[in-house]
């Protein structure tokens, strides 16, 4: 199968790109990749209960419902959605070649352009109780979830020692009664400015050489987190904190295995794009969403970058088609009989 444009991904960036490309009548094909990167189709929003900061939903909307609506809009705009996972890409020449799961021995599918919107997954710590209380007290995005009612005026905990942990901890002081920061080492990795702001905040307590060991909470179905067991790794001392929220700020893993060594990435594996655009190091390959954004990681910013990728892919194809038409016109002119033996460049110049 050959397509003008293939989108790999299933989150806000992928579906926004699909909407724009579909409306441009480019017949995009979107591969959702169920359980790709360890997440169900729909990306990280599929594990988010309430989304209150996406425009257009004053009453809020659940993450899964938001993704169901985006998917439906993609289809309504003419996108072909395929559930299979793309497992292999060859970006060495155009048209690009790709293979899907269980079909790597079959002939390759091809595409003129590709939009990579494979996302990134928050690193988890696999603590006892983590699965039970994920999104019922545990989150990997303070900006996304910190203002939720279950965290307001409650004791909160952040795990991490870098700039992200400092920024998220300070953000949470607006809502929680107090914030405890657990740092595995004996000092913060955050920049001097961020570290200074964090240590001076009266609502913040920093516990160094400390790790979380177990999340505890209500036993009922969908019960909420209530406590966190922690341990000092130097002294071995253990204690149990009252905590209604636990926020991981230990990084994300971009889903870039598919394009490893084929497009330029930074030291953490995020795809590098030309600033302000979705252009990657490979002409015809565009990147959108969290796979190239390690700073903001919001649904709305992902959607915006999906729009950018779609517009740039459309422009790339249009310019390519226009160039091809010009080449064909030139070839036809060259094949025409020459009047009085005039060379083509003279015949086409009205001044000569």
């Amino acid at each position: 199968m050959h397509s003008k444009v293939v989108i790999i991904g299933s989150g806000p960036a992928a579906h926004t790109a699909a909407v724009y490309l579909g409306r441009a009548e480019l017949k995009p094909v979107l591969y959702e990749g169920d359980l790709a990167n360890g997440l169900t189709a729909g990306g990280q929003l599929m594990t988010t209960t309430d989304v209150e900061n996406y425009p257009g939903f004053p009453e809020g909307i659940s993450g899964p419902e938001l993704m169901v609506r985006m998917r439906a809009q993609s289809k309504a705009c003419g996108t072909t959605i395929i559930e299979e996972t793309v497992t292999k890409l060859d970006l060495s020449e155009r048209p690009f070649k790709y293979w899907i799961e269980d079909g790597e021995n079959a002939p390759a599918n091809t595409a003129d352009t590709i939009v990579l919107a494979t996302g990134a997954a928050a690193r988890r710590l696999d603590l006892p109780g983590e699965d039970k209380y994920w999104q019922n007290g545990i989150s990997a995005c303070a900006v996304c979830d910190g203002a939720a009612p279950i965290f307001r005026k409650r004791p909160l905990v952040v795990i991490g020692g870098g700039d992200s942990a400092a920024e998220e901890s300070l953000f949470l002081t607006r809502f929680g009664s107090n914030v405890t920061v657990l740092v595995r080492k004996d000092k913060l990795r955050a920049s001097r400015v961020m570290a200074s702001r964090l240590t001076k905040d009266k609502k913040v307590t920093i516990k160094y050489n400390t790790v979380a060991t177990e999340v505890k909470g209500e036993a009922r179905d969908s019960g909420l987190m209530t406590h966190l067991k922690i341990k000092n790794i130097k002294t071995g001392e253990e204690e149990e904190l009252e905590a209604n929220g636990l926020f991981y700020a230990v990084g994300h893993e971009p889903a870039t295995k598919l394009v490893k060594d084929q497009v330029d990435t930074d030291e953490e594996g995020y795809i590098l794009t030309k600033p302000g655009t979705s252009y990657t190091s490979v002409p015809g390959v565009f990147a959108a969403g969290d796979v190239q954004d390690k700073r903001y990681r919001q649904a709305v910013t992902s959607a915006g970058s999906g729009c950018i990728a779609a517009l740039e892919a459309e422009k790339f194809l249009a310019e390519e088609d226009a160039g091809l038409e010009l080449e064909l016109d030139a070839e036809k002119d060259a094949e025409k009989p020459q009047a009085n033996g005039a060379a083509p460049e003279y015949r086409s110049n009205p001044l000569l």
Side-chain angles (χ1 to χ4, degrees), residues 7 14 20 28 37 59 97 107 112-113 122 211 231 249 285 307:
I7 304 164
Y20 275 79
N37 201 32
E59 305 301 322
K97 299 182 180 68
D112 292 329
T113 56
V211 296
K231 179 180 180 180
V285 178
C307 168

Side-chain angles (χ1 to χ4, degrees), residues 143-294:
V143 175
C144 310
D145 304 324
I150 63 170
F151 300 129
R152 289 181 178 270
K153 298 181 180 180
R154 304 291 176 84
L156 308 175
V157 177
V158 174
I159 297 179
D163 278 342
S164 293
E167 289 176 6
E168 298 207 357
S169 299
L170 291 167
F171 176 81
L172 290 170
T173 59
R174 306 176 192 176
F175 309 104
S177 58
N178 60 78
V179 177
T180 301
V181 183
L182 305 184
V183 182
R184 186 179 184 87
K185 297 185 178 181
D186 58 2
K187 62 181 180 180
L188 292 166
R189 292 185 294 105
S191 64
R192 183 177 298 180
V193 172
M194 290 304 301
S196 176
R197 288 180 58 195
L198 189 67
T199 54
K200 290 178 180 178
D201 195 298
K202 294 181 179 179
K203 292 183 73 174
V204 174
T205 300
I206 304 174
K207 290 182 176 290
Y208 296 101
N209 303 307
T210 303
V211 296
T213 58
E214 183 181 359
V215 184
K216 303 179 73 175
E218 299 169 346
R220 61 183 174 85
D221 290 343
S222 300
L224 300 176
M225 171 187 175
T226 59
H227 293 80
L228 180 69
K229 293 184 70 174
I230 63 174
K231 179 180 180 180
N232 185 298
I233 58 177
K234 283 198 170 182
T235 66
E237 180 183 355
E238 295 183 323
E239 62 177 306
E240 187 170 291
L241 301 177
E242 181 181 355
N244 296 100
L246 174 61
F247 295 85
Y248 291 172
V250 292
H252 288 66
E253 294 283 353
T256 51
K257 183 179 178 181
L258 194 62
V259 293
K260 185 178 180 181
D261 299 325
Q262 297 194 77
V263 299
D264 290 347
T265 60
D266 68 8
E267 65 279 359
E268 296 177 63
Y270 287 87
I271 295 175
L272 292 172
T273 54
K274 183 179 178 180
T277 78
S278 64
Y279 291 105
T280 70
S281 58
V282 179
V285 178
F286 306 87
D290 289 5
V291 76
Q292 53 85 52
D293 172 22
K294 61 183 179 183

Side-chain angles (χ1 to χ4, degrees), residues 120-147:
R123 293 192 183 106
R124 294 198 182 190
L125 300 178
D126 297 323
L127 298 174
E130 181 180 283
D131 288 340
K132 178 173 177 58
Y133 298 107
W134 190 261
Q135 291 301 323
N136 286 310
I138 306 178
S139 168
C141 182
V143 175
C144 310
D145 304 324

